[in-house]
Amino acid sequence: MDIDFLIVGQGLAGSLLAFELIQRNARVMVVDDGRENASQVAAGLINPVTGIRLVKTDRVDDLLPEAKALYSRLSKVFARNFLVEKTMFRLLCNEAEVAQCQKRLNATEYAAYLSKIHPRESFAYPFQDCRWLLEQKQTGYLNTRPLLDALRDFFIGIDSYRNLTFDFRGAQVVESFYRQGLKPKRIVFCEGYRLIHNPWFSWLPLQAVKGEILTIESDFALPEQIINFGNWLIPIGKNRCRTGATFDRHCTDTAITEQAKHQLIQSLAKIDPRFGSKTRIVDQQANIRPCTPDRMPFLGRHPANPQLWVFNGFGVKGSLQIPWYSRHLADALLDGSDLDKHCNIRRYYETHFLGSRSA
């Protein structure tokens, strides 16, 4: 089968890139081994302003409208809502945090994303370990697993999906697909953290970071909004929520741990002691996030083989970033447009590729 693009990996990055290319009439094949990926486990949180200093995500003024437009379009295509828009409240514990919030509230460029500071007493919910709450706007979460399931069925329906276990052997990457009856002009690797095992792109400094998430059922009413308290609490139904996530740079397995469960429950108990005794663990999941040192994704062509491309490294902000970057990469693949230097893998070429070859 002659195809224009073979997409390796059916996580959110591979799925949305494939959908974008198909909408532009490209012949696409998505291959995936069916194993659970980070996108399926991730909370899909969308939060334009993050961190202790409350900094806007790079390019968020472009990223967020693109994400909302694409998820709305996908909801119409599949007759199901995937993006849940919910206000977020960030718990503030001291005057320094309030001062930083006020600084952002006074800045015009943050007006679209931050609303106001509320005293704890104005909430019926008995928040502990805080004195004020910052109201954040244009936040929410993506129901990622249902979206990926819908896209997989869509790809299958148009004969653009194969369940394949891809094993790198030597340098004959294109020939290995030929043996499967696939003749791609270009291959785009979207394997998440498994990029560290890809002989063509393992020189990229991908940081595999394990995170664990709990789904909890409580004996008491939960807040209706997303709560950010260092970790996050996302209400997903009556008396049920998801919370996470842990952050482990030294482990690349997906086994759940008692340590992570205890850590997440203890964190919740600080904002409401009832979480320590009046809750039940419904589910516990672990995933490996594909992160990067500069928090910008990896997009681009292999420096020695123009058939091979990469689309990876979105870390915890994939739900927000991937729609815009999918279109950006599609422009490069189809029209030859230049990639933004901040995401182009050329930024690591001299340090990691030329340096390793000359050593």
Side-chain angles (χ1 to χ4, degrees):
M1 177 185 294
D2 293 324
I3 52 179
D4 297 316
F5 303 102
L6 190 143
I7 309 295
V8 180
Q10 203 246 318
L12 192 62
S15 296
L16 295 187
L17 176 62
F19 185 80
E20 177 71 24
L21 291 169
I22 289 168
Q23 299 308 298
R24 301 197 198 188
N25 299 315
R27 292 170 298 176
V28 175
M29 180 63 68
V30 179
V31 298
D32 190 270
D33 60 11
R35 289 185 291 176
E36 190 171 68
N37 58 60
S39 297
Q40 293 171 320
V41 176
L45 193 63
I46 292 180
N47 181 13
V49 180
T50 61
I52 296 174
R53 296 178 56 248
L54 290 170
V55 177
K56 285 170 58 177
T57 297
D58 187 70
R59 297 192 98 114
V60 70
D61 297 332
D62 298 320
L63 298 175
L64 190 57
E66 188 79 24
K68 287 185 175 182
L70 178 58
Y71 297 138
S72 175
R73 181 182 180 188
L74 289 167
S75 293
K76 292 177 182 177
V77 169
F78 298 115
R80 179 170 182 177
N81 185 38
F82 299 111
L83 178 62
V84 179
E85 298 189 65
K86 275 187 176 293
T87 301
M88 176 184 291
F89 284 102
R90 180 186 180 117
L91 274 55
L92 309 176
C93 301
N94 55 57
E95 295 286 353
E97 291 181 348
V98 173
Q100 181 65 27
C101 291
Q102 195 59 58
K103 177 182 176 181
R104 298 303 188 205
L105 287 167
N106 293 336
T108 304
E109 63 269 28
Y110 282 81
Y113 308 111
L114 303 179
S115 180
K116 60 182 178 179
I117 297 173
H118 300 264
R120 182 185 63 189
E121 292 76 18
S122 64
F123 288 84
Y125 191 87
F127 289 111
Q128 304 294 312
D129 199 36
C130 77
R131 298 173 64 186
W132 305 271
L133 295 93
L134 172 67
E135 182 178 346
Q136 297 184 231
K137 299 183 289 185
Q138 300 202 65
T139 52
Y141 64 93
L142 182 68
N143 280 315
T144 313
R145 187 182 289 269
L147 175 57
L148 293 181
D149 289 345
L151 284 167
R152 185 191 62 240
D153 292 343
F154 169 74
F155 299 143
I156 292 172
I158 60 172
D159 194 23
S160 290
Y161 180 89
R162 295 280 180 88
N163 183 268
L164 293 176
T165 298
F166 181 62
D167 183 20
F168 291 106
R169 294 186 181 181
Q172 306 303 313
V173 61
V174 177
E175 287 77 0
S176 68
F177 285 118
Y178 280 9
R179 290 192 293 272
Q180 301 283 349
L182 304 174
K183 298 180 180 179
K185 294 179 181 177
R186 278 173 283 187
I187 301 170
V188 186
F189 292 100
C190 312
E191 322 111 296
Y193 86 94
R194 295 187 181 96
L195 189 75
I196 62 178
H197 305 302
N198 184 323
W200 291 94
F201 290 102
S202 57
W203 50 272
L204 286 168
L206 191 80
Q207 298 173 336
V209 180
K210 181 178 180 179
E212 297 189 50
I213 294 172
L214 298 180
T215 301
I216 292 175
E217 197 169 68
S218 71
D219 292 335
F220 51 90
L222 297 170
E224 296 181 0
Q225 303 84 9
I226 299 171
I227 306 300
N228 183 340
F229 54 100
N231 290 332
W232 38 258
L233 182 154
I234 301 176
I236 57 172
K238 184 178 180 181
N239 292 22
R240 184 172 284 203
C241 69
R242 299 188 80 194
T243 188
T246 57
F247 201 88
D248 187 349
R249 294 181 180 274
H250 307 291
C251 185
T252 55
D253 67 61
T254 56
I256 61 173
T257 65
E258 285 295 316
Q259 179 182 357
K261 180 172 72 173
H262 178 74
Q263 178 183 333
L264 292 172
I265 292 296
Q266 288 298 107
S267 181
L268 281 172
K270 287 183 179 180
I271 66 168
D272 186 342
R274 293 177 294 179
F275 280 108
S277 58
K278 297 182 179 181
T279 57
R280 294 171 294 282
I281 308 300
V282 176
D283 194 16
Q284 181 174 355
Q285 296 172 297
N287 68 80
I288 309 296
R289 312 176 187 96
C291 300
T292 65
D294 58 5
R295 300 185 182 180
M296 296 298 295
F298 294 150
L299 279 70
R301 182 175 57 194
H302 190 275
N305 190 330
Q307 281 186 283
L308 307 182
W309 290 66
V310 67
F311 188 56
N312 208 321
F314 293 97
V316 298
K317 296 186 178 181
S319 300
L320 173 61
Q321 294 178 324
I322 292 172
W324 187 91
Y325 282 104
S326 294
R327 184 168 59 83
H328 186 52
L329 183 59
D331 289 340
L333 291 167
L334 295 171
D335 307 326
S337 302
D338 291 333
L339 290 171
D340 188 297
K341 66 179 182 180
H342 296 99
C343 65
N344 196 324
I345 60 172
R346 286 182 179 272
R347 70 191 190 273
Y348 292 113
Y349 178 66
E350 290 186 3
T351 302
H352 295 274
F353 188 76
L354 278 182
S356 62
R357 293 189 66 175
S358 62

